[in-house]
Amino acid sequence: MRSKIFILFLGVIFASVAQRRVTPVDPIAKREIVPVQTDSVVAEPEEPEIKGYLYPLFNGLSVNVNILDGITNLFGQSYGNYEIAAELDLHNRFFPVWEIGIGHADNTPEGLNFTYRNKASLYNRVGMNYNFGYNKTAMSFFYIGIRYGFSFFTYNIDNILVESPYWGESEKLQITGQKSWAHWGELLGGLRVQVYKNFYMGWTVRYRLMFSHKKNTYSQPWYIPGFGTDSSPFGFTYTVGYRFSFGKKEKKIESQPVAE
């Protein structure tokens, strides 16, 4: 009887242990992570869309003629420049420029006692323009630029009136064959407007800064070809021009999704 009770007691103990048995967990095994949903959603920042046009490196060549001094000469101004310029278009943004011209003068300055005569002399300016509308298709745009100019020239000073208050007489003198040179810098801003197909017109305002010029023993230049007179640091040009396209069409830059 006792043996049956003992056997029954062991059976109850084994049954309870079996129910409480814990399955061992592999620490290396991957566990599935269940994401926890939240009410707020944080959006990833997006890059702004890129809109505009991509132009080839050599996009065109323009030839410009300054007509302002020619017009003022018709209305009586007796000095000025006759100028032509070549302008290379790089990516429709940068425009290297070479301006070449001839300056002349045959003028009696107001309030002075001489006539200044400048033989037709060559001058050059080189520099760069920057187009603010480089990502557009229109030929009309606003730009700024810089120039470096230099000139070698010869001038005469005639009809120099010298009066003697003691004797009450006057005499006219002249200084001829004066050779000189000058170099200067310019800062400019301008506007170009398309008038018909590849034809355009434009104007520039220039601030001129003289670096150096040669003074002679008995005189100094009143007018410098390409620079002008020393009466004001500002200068103006009004040009007409034609653009030669290199035949490559601009490509539109399409906006692209951000790569993750």
Side-chain angles (χ1 to χ4, degrees), residues 59-108:
N59 190 45
L61 178 68
S62 300
V63 178
N64 316 320
V65 178
N66 179 21
I67 62 174
L68 180 61
D69 285 358
I71 295 174
T72 56
N73 287 164
L74 292 176
F75 288 90
Q77 181 174 288
S78 54
Y79 60 89
N81 303 315
Y82 297 100
E83 177 180 304
I84 188 170
E87 186 179 85
L88 185 62
D89 182 348
L90 303 179
H91 288 310
N92 198 44
R93 177 180 292 196
F94 302 102
F95 293 78
V97 182
W98 175 29
E99 299 170 339
I100 184 172
I102 294 176
H104 72 96
D106 189 355
N107 185 70
T108 301

Short mmCIF file of all heavy atoms in Angstrom, two decimals, residues 59-108:
data_model
loop_
_atom_site.label_atom_id
_atom_site.label_comp_id
_atom_site.label_asym_id
_atom_site.label_seq_id
_atom_site.Cartn_x
_atom_site.Cartn_y
_atom_site.Cartn_z
N ASN A 59 29.75 78.36 -77.04
CA ASN A 59 28.33 78.51 -77.36
C ASN A 59 28.07 79.50 -78.48
O ASN A 59 26.99 79.50 -79.06
CB ASN A 59 27.58 78.95 -76.09
CG ASN A 59 26.09 78.90 -76.25
OD1 ASN A 59 25.55 77.92 -76.77
ND2 ASN A 59 25.40 79.95 -75.83
N GLY A 60 29.03 80.37 -78.80
CA GLY A 60 28.82 81.33 -79.85
C GLY A 60 29.88 82.41 -79.88
O GLY A 60 30.77 82.45 -79.02
N LEU A 61 29.79 83.27 -80.89
CA LEU A 61 30.72 84.39 -81.05
C LEU A 61 29.94 85.61 -81.49
O LEU A 61 29.11 85.53 -82.40
CB LEU A 61 31.80 84.05 -82.08
CG LEU A 61 32.82 85.14 -82.38
CD1 LEU A 61 33.72 85.40 -81.17
CD2 LEU A 61 33.68 84.76 -83.60
N SER A 62 30.19 86.74 -80.82
CA SER A 62 29.49 87.98 -81.16
C SER A 62 30.47 89.04 -81.62
O SER A 62 31.60 89.10 -81.14
CB SER A 62 28.71 88.51 -79.94
OG SER A 62 27.76 87.57 -79.50
N VAL A 63 30.02 89.88 -82.56
CA VAL A 63 30.80 91.01 -83.05
C VAL A 63 29.99 92.27 -82.79
O VAL A 63 28.83 92.38 -83.21
CB VAL A 63 31.11 90.87 -84.55
CG1 VAL A 63 31.88 92.09 -85.05
CG2 VAL A 63 31.92 89.60 -84.82
N ASN A 64 30.59 93.23 -82.08
CA ASN A 64 29.90 94.46 -81.67
C ASN A 64 30.60 95.68 -82.24
O ASN A 64 31.83 95.70 -82.37
CB ASN A 64 29.85 94.59 -80.14
CG ASN A 64 29.49 93.29 -79.46
OD1 ASN A 64 28.63 92.56 -79.92
ND2 ASN A 64 30.15 93.00 -78.34
N VAL A 65 29.83 96.71 -82.53
CA VAL A 65 30.37 97.98 -83.00
C VAL A 65 29.83 99.10 -82.11
O VAL A 65 28.61 99.19 -81.90
CB VAL A 65 30.00 98.25 -84.47
CG1 VAL A 65 30.54 99.61 -84.93
CG2 VAL A 65 30.53 97.14 -85.37
N ASN A 66 30.73 99.91 -81.59
CA ASN A 66 30.33 101.06 -80.76
C ASN A 66 29.98 102.23 -81.69
O ASN A 66 30.83 102.72 -82.43
CB ASN A 66 31.46 101.45 -79.81
CG ASN A 66 31.11 102.65 -78.95
OD1 ASN A 66 29.95 102.97 -78.77
ND2 ASN A 66 32.14 103.32 -78.46
N ILE A 67 28.72 102.68 -81.62
CA ILE A 67 28.27 103.74 -82.52
C ILE A 67 28.07 105.07 -81.80
O ILE A 67 27.73 106.07 -82.45
CB ILE A 67 26.96 103.34 -83.23
CG1 ILE A 67 25.84 103.15 -82.20
CG2 ILE A 67 27.16 102.07 -84.05
CD1 ILE A 67 24.48 102.90 -82.83
N LEU A 68 28.29 105.11 -80.49
CA LEU A 68 27.98 106.34 -79.74
C LEU A 68 28.86 107.50 -80.16
O LEU A 68 28.37 108.60 -80.43
CB LEU A 68 28.13 106.07 -78.25
CG LEU A 68 27.85 107.27 -77.33
CD1 LEU A 68 26.41 107.75 -77.51
CD2 LEU A 68 28.12 106.92 -75.88
N ASP A 69 30.19 107.29 -80.23
CA ASP A 69 31.08 108.39 -80.58
C ASP A 69 30.86 108.86 -82.02
O ASP A 69 31.03 110.05 -82.33
CB ASP A 69 32.54 107.97 -80.39
CG ASP A 69 32.92 107.94 -78.91
OD1 ASP A 69 32.06 108.27 -78.08
OD2 ASP A 69 34.06 107.55 -78.59
N GLY A 70 30.49 107.93 -82.90
CA GLY A 70 30.19 108.34 -84.27
C GLY A 70 28.99 109.28 -84.32
O GLY A 70 28.98 110.24 -85.12
N ILE A 71 27.99 109.02 -83.47
CA ILE A 71 26.80 109.89 -83.43
C ILE A 71 27.15 111.25 -82.84
O ILE A 71 26.74 112.30 -83.36
CB ILE A 71 25.69 109.21 -82.61
CG1 ILE A 71 25.22 107.94 -83.33
CG2 ILE A 71 24.52 110.16 -82.39
CD1 ILE A 71 24.21 107.13 -82.54
N THR A 72 27.94 111.26 -81.75
CA THR A 72 28.30 112.54 -81.13
C THR A 72 29.20 113.37 -82.05
O THR A 72 29.13 114.60 -82.03
CB THR A 72 29.02 112.30 -79.79
OG1 THR A 72 30.17 111.44 -80.01
CG2 THR A 72 28.10 111.63 -78.79
N ASN A 73 30.02 112.72 -82.87
CA ASN A 73 30.83 113.46 -83.84
C ASN A 73 29.96 114.17 -84.87
O ASN A 73 30.31 115.27 -85.33
CB ASN A 73 31.82 112.53 -84.54
CG ASN A 73 32.97 112.10 -83.64
OD1 ASN A 73 33.69 111.15 -83.92
ND2 ASN A 73 33.14 112.77 -82.50
N LEU A 74 28.83 113.56 -85.22
CA LEU A 74 27.92 114.19 -86.16
C LEU A 74 27.30 115.46 -85.59
O LEU A 74 26.90 116.36 -86.33
CB LEU A 74 26.81 113.22 -86.57
CG LEU A 74 27.24 112.01 -87.41
CD1 LEU A 74 26.05 111.09 -87.65
CD2 LEU A 74 27.85 112.44 -88.73
N PHE A 75 27.22 115.53 -84.26
CA PHE A 75 26.63 116.70 -83.61
C PHE A 75 27.69 117.67 -83.08
O PHE A 75 27.41 118.50 -82.22
CB PHE A 75 25.72 116.25 -82.46
CG PHE A 75 24.44 115.62 -82.93
CD1 PHE A 75 24.37 114.26 -83.16
CD2 PHE A 75 23.32 116.41 -83.17
CE1 PHE A 75 23.19 113.68 -83.58
CE2 PHE A 75 22.14 115.84 -83.61
CZ PHE A 75 22.07 114.47 -83.82
N GLY A 76 28.93 117.55 -83.59
CA GLY A 76 29.93 118.57 -83.31
C GLY A 76 31.07 118.19 -82.40
O GLY A 76 32.01 118.97 -82.25
N GLN A 77 31.02 117.02 -81.76
CA GLN A 77 32.16 116.63 -80.91
C GLN A 77 33.35 116.31 -81.80
O GLN A 77 33.23 115.55 -82.76
CB GLN A 77 31.79 115.43 -80.04
CG GLN A 77 32.91 114.98 -79.12
CD GLN A 77 32.48 113.88 -78.16
OE1 GLN A 77 31.74 114.13 -77.23
NE2 GLN A 77 32.96 112.66 -78.41
N SER A 78 34.50 116.85 -81.45
CA SER A 78 35.68 116.74 -82.33
C SER A 78 36.72 115.77 -81.78
O SER A 78 37.90 115.92 -82.06
CB SER A 78 36.29 118.12 -82.56
OG SER A 78 36.57 118.74 -81.32
N TYR A 79 36.30 114.81 -81.01
CA TYR A 79 37.20 113.74 -80.56
C TYR A 79 36.34 112.52 -80.24
O TYR A 79 35.11 112.62 -80.06
CB TYR A 79 37.99 114.16 -79.33
CG TYR A 79 37.14 114.51 -78.13
CD1 TYR A 79 36.77 113.54 -77.20
CD2 TYR A 79 36.69 115.82 -77.93
CE1 TYR A 79 35.97 113.85 -76.11
CE2 TYR A 79 35.91 116.14 -76.84
CZ TYR A 79 35.54 115.16 -75.94
OH TYR A 79 34.74 115.47 -74.87
N GLY A 80 36.98 111.35 -80.20
CA GLY A 80 36.22 110.14 -79.90
C GLY A 80 36.92 108.89 -80.40
O GLY A 80 38.04 108.93 -80.92
N ASN A 81 36.21 107.75 -80.26
CA ASN A 81 36.76 106.45 -80.62
C ASN A 81 35.87 105.77 -81.67
O ASN A 81 34.64 105.91 -81.64
CB ASN A 81 36.84 105.53 -79.39
CG ASN A 81 37.66 106.12 -78.27
OD1 ASN A 81 38.74 106.64 -78.50
ND2 ASN A 81 37.15 106.03 -77.05
N TYR A 82 36.50 105.04 -82.56
CA TYR A 82 35.80 104.15 -83.47
C TYR A 82 36.24 102.73 -83.11
O TYR A 82 37.41 102.40 -83.22
CB TYR A 82 36.12 104.49 -84.92
CG TYR A 82 35.67 105.87 -85.32
CD1 TYR A 82 36.58 106.93 -85.36
CD2 TYR A 82 34.34 106.13 -85.63
CE1 TYR A 82 36.17 108.20 -85.71
CE2 TYR A 82 33.92 107.40 -85.98
CZ TYR A 82 34.83 108.44 -86.02
OH TYR A 82 34.42 109.70 -86.35
N GLU A 83 35.28 101.91 -82.71
CA GLU A 83 35.63 100.68 -82.01
C GLU A 83 34.80 99.49 -82.48
O GLU A 83 33.61 99.61 -82.77
CB GLU A 83 35.42 100.90 -80.51
CG GLU A 83 35.67 99.72 -79.62
CD GLU A 83 35.41 100.09 -78.16
OE1 GLU A 83 36.02 101.07 -77.68
OE2 GLU A 83 34.57 99.44 -77.52
N ILE A 84 35.45 98.32 -82.52
CA ILE A 84 34.80 97.05 -82.80
C ILE A 84 35.28 96.05 -81.76
O ILE A 84 36.41 96.15 -81.25
CB ILE A 84 35.10 96.56 -84.23
CG1 ILE A 84 34.24 95.34 -84.57
CG2 ILE A 84 36.58 96.26 -84.42
CD1 ILE A 84 34.32 94.95 -86.05
N ALA A 85 34.42 95.09 -81.41
CA ALA A 85 34.76 94.13 -80.37
C ALA A 85 34.33 92.72 -80.77
O ALA A 85 33.33 92.54 -81.45
CB ALA A 85 34.09 94.51 -79.04
N ALA A 86 35.13 91.74 -80.36
CA ALA A 86 34.80 90.32 -80.54
C ALA A 86 34.61 89.71 -79.16
O ALA A 86 35.40 89.93 -78.25
CB ALA A 86 35.92 89.60 -81.29
N GLU A 87 33.54 88.92 -79.03
CA GLU A 87 33.14 88.40 -77.72
C GLU A 87 32.82 86.91 -77.85
O GLU A 87 31.93 86.52 -78.60
CB GLU A 87 31.93 89.19 -77.22
CG GLU A 87 31.48 88.87 -75.84
CD GLU A 87 30.30 89.74 -75.46
OE1 GLU A 87 29.16 89.37 -75.80
OE2 GLU A 87 30.51 90.80 -74.85
N LEU A 88 33.54 86.07 -77.12
CA LEU A 88 33.33 84.63 -77.14
C LEU A 88 32.39 84.22 -76.01
O LEU A 88 32.53 84.69 -74.88
CB LEU A 88 34.67 83.90 -76.99
CG LEU A 88 34.66 82.37 -77.10
CD1 LEU A 88 34.18 81.92 -78.47
CD2 LEU A 88 36.04 81.82 -76.80
N ASP A 89 31.44 83.35 -76.34
CA ASP A 89 30.44 82.88 -75.37
C ASP A 89 30.85 81.52 -74.82
O ASP A 89 30.92 80.54 -75.55
CB ASP A 89 29.07 82.79 -76.07
CG ASP A 89 27.96 82.37 -75.13
OD1 ASP A 89 28.24 81.93 -74.00
OD2 ASP A 89 26.79 82.46 -75.53
N LEU A 90 31.12 81.46 -73.51
CA LEU A 90 31.48 80.21 -72.84
C LEU A 90 30.36 79.83 -71.88
O LEU A 90 30.13 80.51 -70.87
CB LEU A 90 32.79 80.36 -72.07
CG LEU A 90 34.02 80.80 -72.89
CD1 LEU A 90 35.23 80.92 -71.98
CD2 LEU A 90 34.29 79.82 -74.03
N HIS A 91 29.64 78.76 -72.18
CA HIS A 91 28.55 78.26 -71.34
C HIS A 91 27.45 79.30 -71.13
O HIS A 91 26.68 79.21 -70.17
CB HIS A 91 29.07 77.79 -69.98
CG HIS A 91 29.84 76.51 -70.02
ND1 HIS A 91 29.37 75.37 -70.67
CD2 HIS A 91 31.04 76.18 -69.49
CE1 HIS A 91 30.26 74.39 -70.51
NE2 HIS A 91 31.29 74.86 -69.83
N ASN A 92 27.37 80.31 -71.99
CA ASN A 92 26.39 81.38 -71.84
C ASN A 92 26.55 82.14 -70.52
O ASN A 92 25.66 82.86 -70.10
CB ASN A 92 24.96 80.84 -71.94
CG ASN A 92 23.95 81.94 -72.25
OD1 ASN A 92 24.18 82.80 -73.10
ND2 ASN A 92 22.82 81.94 -71.56
N ARG A 93 27.70 82.02 -69.88
CA ARG A 93 27.93 82.66 -68.59
C ARG A 93 29.13 83.60 -68.64
O ARG A 93 29.03 84.73 -68.20
CB ARG A 93 28.13 81.61 -67.50
CG ARG A 93 28.44 82.21 -66.14
CD ARG A 93 28.64 81.16 -65.06
NE ARG A 93 27.43 80.45 -64.75
CZ ARG A 93 27.28 79.70 -63.65
NH1 ARG A 93 28.29 79.58 -62.79
NH2 ARG A 93 26.15 79.07 -63.42
N PHE A 94 30.25 83.14 -69.17
CA PHE A 94 31.47 83.95 -69.22
C PHE A 94 31.73 84.36 -70.68
O PHE A 94 31.66 83.53 -71.58
CB PHE A 94 32.66 83.18 -68.67
CG PHE A 94 32.46 82.72 -67.26
CD1 PHE A 94 32.12 81.41 -66.98
CD2 PHE A 94 32.60 83.61 -66.21
CE1 PHE A 94 31.94 80.97 -65.69
CE2 PHE A 94 32.42 83.19 -64.90
CZ PHE A 94 32.08 81.86 -64.63
N PHE A 95 32.08 85.66 -70.86
CA PHE A 95 32.27 86.20 -72.20
C PHE A 95 33.63 86.93 -72.27
O PHE A 95 33.71 88.13 -71.96
CB PHE A 95 31.15 87.18 -72.54
CG PHE A 95 29.80 86.56 -72.69
CD1 PHE A 95 29.06 86.21 -71.57
CD2 PHE A 95 29.26 86.30 -73.94
CE1 PHE A 95 27.80 85.63 -71.69
CE2 PHE A 95 28.01 85.72 -74.07
CZ PHE A 95 27.28 85.39 -72.94
N PRO A 96 34.70 86.24 -72.65
CA PRO A 96 35.97 86.94 -72.89
C PRO A 96 35.81 87.94 -74.04
O PRO A 96 35.20 87.61 -75.07
CB PRO A 96 36.92 85.81 -73.26
CG PRO A 96 36.29 84.56 -72.74
CD PRO A 96 34.82 84.78 -72.82
N VAL A 97 36.35 89.13 -73.87
CA VAL A 97 36.13 90.22 -74.83
C VAL A 97 37.46 90.83 -75.24
O VAL A 97 38.36 91.03 -74.42
CB VAL A 97 35.24 91.31 -74.21
CG1 VAL A 97 34.98 92.42 -75.21
CG2 VAL A 97 33.93 90.73 -73.72
N TRP A 98 37.55 91.13 -76.53
CA TRP A 98 38.68 91.91 -77.05
C TRP A 98 38.11 93.10 -77.82
O TRP A 98 37.39 92.94 -78.80
CB TRP A 98 39.55 91.05 -77.98
CG TRP A 98 40.67 91.81 -78.64
CD1 TRP A 98 41.33 92.90 -78.17
CD2 TRP A 98 41.25 91.52 -79.92
NE1 TRP A 98 42.30 93.32 -79.05
CE2 TRP A 98 42.27 92.48 -80.14
CE3 TRP A 98 41.03 90.54 -80.88
CZ2 TRP A 98 43.04 92.50 -81.28
CZ3 TRP A 98 41.80 90.56 -82.03
CH2 TRP A 98 42.80 91.52 -82.22
N GLU A 99 38.40 94.31 -77.33
CA GLU A 99 37.93 95.54 -77.97
C GLU A 99 39.12 96.25 -78.58
O GLU A 99 40.13 96.48 -77.91
CB GLU A 99 37.26 96.45 -76.92
CG GLU A 99 36.05 95.80 -76.27
CD GLU A 99 35.52 96.58 -75.07
OE1 GLU A 99 36.29 97.38 -74.50
OE2 GLU A 99 34.36 96.37 -74.70
N ILE A 100 38.99 96.61 -79.84
CA ILE A 100 40.07 97.28 -80.56
C ILE A 100 39.48 98.47 -81.31
O ILE A 100 38.37 98.40 -81.85
CB ILE A 100 40.79 96.31 -81.52
CG1 ILE A 100 41.99 96.99 -82.18
CG2 ILE A 100 39.85 95.73 -82.54
CD1 ILE A 100 42.87 96.05 -82.98
N GLY A 101 40.22 99.58 -81.31
CA GLY A 101 39.69 100.76 -81.97
C GLY A 101 40.75 101.79 -82.27
O GLY A 101 41.95 101.62 -81.99
N ILE A 102 40.30 102.90 -82.85
CA ILE A 102 41.16 104.03 -83.20
C ILE A 102 40.58 105.27 -82.54
O ILE A 102 39.38 105.56 -82.67
CB ILE A 102 41.24 104.21 -84.72
CG1 ILE A 102 41.96 103.02 -85.36
CG2 ILE A 102 41.95 105.52 -85.08
CD1 ILE A 102 41.99 103.07 -86.87
N GLY A 103 41.42 105.99 -81.80
CA GLY A 103 41.01 107.24 -81.17
C GLY A 103 41.62 108.44 -81.87
O GLY A 103 42.75 108.38 -82.36
N HIS A 104 40.87 109.54 -81.91
CA HIS A 104 41.35 110.76 -82.58
C HIS A 104 40.86 111.98 -81.81
O HIS A 104 39.90 111.91 -81.03
CB HIS A 104 40.80 110.82 -84.01
CG HIS A 104 39.32 111.13 -84.05
ND1 HIS A 104 38.83 112.40 -84.22
CD2 HIS A 104 38.26 110.32 -83.89
CE1 HIS A 104 37.51 112.37 -84.20
NE2 HIS A 104 37.13 111.12 -84.00
N ALA A 105 41.50 113.10 -82.03
CA ALA A 105 41.09 114.36 -81.41
C ALA A 105 41.60 115.53 -82.22
O ALA A 105 42.73 115.51 -82.73
CB ALA A 105 41.61 114.45 -79.97
N ASP A 106 40.76 116.55 -82.37
CA ASP A 106 41.13 117.83 -82.96
C ASP A 106 40.22 118.86 -82.31
O ASP A 106 39.23 119.31 -82.88
CB ASP A 106 40.95 117.80 -84.48
CG ASP A 106 41.51 119.04 -85.16
OD1 ASP A 106 41.96 119.96 -84.43
OD2 ASP A 106 41.50 119.10 -86.39
N ASN A 107 40.57 119.23 -81.09
CA ASN A 107 39.62 119.94 -80.26
C ASN A 107 40.31 121.06 -79.48
O ASN A 107 41.46 120.92 -79.03
CB ASN A 107 38.99 118.95 -79.27
CG ASN A 107 37.90 119.60 -78.44
OD1 ASN A 107 36.84 119.93 -78.95
ND2 ASN A 107 38.16 119.77 -77.15
N THR A 108 39.59 122.17 -79.31
CA THR A 108 40.04 123.25 -78.45
C THR A 108 39.20 123.18 -77.18
O THR A 108 38.01 123.54 -77.19
CB THR A 108 39.85 124.62 -79.12
OG1 THR A 108 40.60 124.65 -80.34
CG2 THR A 108 40.32 125.75 -78.21
#
